[in-house]
Amino acid sequence: MFSSQPRLAVSQEPVPFYEKVKQSISSNIHAGIWKPHDRIPSEAELVQQFGFSRMTINRALRELTDEGLLVRLQGVGTFVAEPKGQSALFEIRSIADEIAARNHHHRSEVLSLGRIKADSRQATALNLAEGTPVFHSLLVHYENDVPVQIEDRVVNTLAAPDYLAQDFTLITPHVYLSQAAPLTEGEHIVEAVRASPQEREWLNIEEGEPCLLIRRRTWSMNHIVSHARLLFPGSRYRLQGRFMS
């Protein structure tokens, strides 16, 4: 005699209408049908296309804008956003590698490279006495010829004595330091800041545009190798971290 086991009914919640709109628009963007800077149909056109209420369409567009897929300009329309570059928050990687991973072209411009006497802030960052000679480099990194990062770095001379002999248009400071003094530890401090007039000029951004600032210190064994101030335009970059407990 066979005994029948009760079957569990699997209930599937219907997908909200605004999610259907989001999925359709996202699919068009990810498939390349709508490319960055393309204007997408207006709210009225989307209402007619989907047959949903204007409130539903508005919510879909608003959420896609918050997620960074769209840009909405008052009185002009809604456009596909330019994908933001992405920088590792917890990892310590070369920006050249990050850009290459997106199949984009990296180049750097060296604004300054030399030996200076550490001021109080720089000396504290490197755990040295104020006035100690340190190496200093100032670079602008470009992605497809668009400036995406200012790198302002001070380096312990004992950790990387040949620092000034490097051509940082061919190799990034991070890559060289990783070879000269293999990194064993890193520290990131992230802030939202406003750029100075000179920094805005180097990054080609408007006054008032927010920027992301990473203050990065790196160690080799028990010695601090360098301290870098990495400034990103907020509209062109985002930071992402992943961790496990």
Side-chain angles (χ1 to χ4, degrees):
M1 186 177 207
F2 295 98
S3 61
S4 60
Q5 296 292 331
R7 293 186 178 180
L8 297 178
V10 179
S11 64
Q12 293 184 338
E13 294 293 330
V15 178
F17 290 154
Y18 72 88
E19 282 291 349
K20 291 182 178 180
V21 178
K22 287 179 63 178
Q23 290 169 7
S24 176
I25 294 174
S26 298
S27 296
N28 283 341
I29 293 173
H30 294 312
I33 297 171
W34 292 340
K35 296 179 172 55
H37 309 299
D38 281 355
R39 182 185 179 278
I40 73 167
S42 67
E43 283 190 16
E45 291 169 329
L46 291 172
V47 166
Q48 185 175 11
Q49 176 182 334
F50 287 97
F52 300 149
S53 71
R54 189 152 192 157
M55 183 180 299
T56 296
I57 299 299
N58 182 271
R59 176 172 179 176
L61 296 180
R62 187 172 68 248
E63 291 193 4
L64 288 172
T65 300
D66 292 341
E67 293 167 13
L69 260 66
L70 298 177
V71 175
R72 307 187 75 186
L73 301 178
Q74 186 72 30
V76 179
T78 303
F79 301 84
V80 179
E82 177 75 28
K84 290 186 179 183
Q86 183 168 292
S87 181
L89 178 55
F90 299 116
E91 297 178 88
I92 298 179
R93 298 174 57 194
S94 167
I95 187 171
D97 292 340
E98 294 175 0
I99 291 172
R102 295 190 285 274
N103 295 317
H104 288 180
H105 171 69
H106 166 267
R107 71 175 177 88
S108 59
E109 179 182 352
V110 180
L111 301 178
S112 176
L113 178 64
R115 184 192 301 263
I116 62 172
K117 291 185 177 180
D119 60 24
S120 59
R121 177 181 57 83
Q122 294 164 335
T124 299
L126 294 177
N127 196 26
L128 299 172
E130 185 174 352
T132 300
V134 296
F135 297 138
H136 174 250
S137 58
L138 181 62
L139 286 75
V140 178
H141 294 279
Y142 294 80
E143 180 169 355
N144 291 345
D145 291 324
V146 176
V148 292
Q149 185 198 90
I150 296 173
E151 175 187 335
D152 188 347
R153 186 185 295 268
V154 287
V155 178
N156 187 320
T157 60
L158 297 179
D162 295 327
Y163 190 76
L164 298 185
Q166 308 309 307
D167 183 348
F168 290 126
T169 63
L170 301 178
I171 185 173
T172 65
H174 168 79
V175 169
Y176 168 71
L177 291 173
S178 297
Q179 297 169 353
L183 307 181
T184 57
E185 186 179 347
E187 172 189 81
H188 281 159
I189 299 174
V190 182
E191 302 175 72
V193 300
R194 292 186 181 275
S196 69
Q198 179 62 80
E199 290 168 337
R200 292 200 304 271
E201 181 179 338
W202 287 332
L203 292 174
N204 192 23
I205 58 176
E206 298 295 328
E207 182 176 2
E209 177 170 341
C211 291
L212 297 171
L213 174 65
I214 297 181
R215 300 183 189 276
R216 175 186 292 171
R217 285 199 297 175
T218 53
W219 281 257
S220 183
M221 303 303 290
N222 296 322
H223 304 288
I224 300 175
V225 174
S226 77
H227 174 266
R229 182 179 181 274
L230 309 174
L231 188 68
F232 302 83
S235 63
R236 299 181 197 147
Y237 243 77
R238 68 180 180 186
L239 304 177
Q240 176 172 311
R242 180 179 179 181
F243 60 91
M244 298 179 66
S245 60

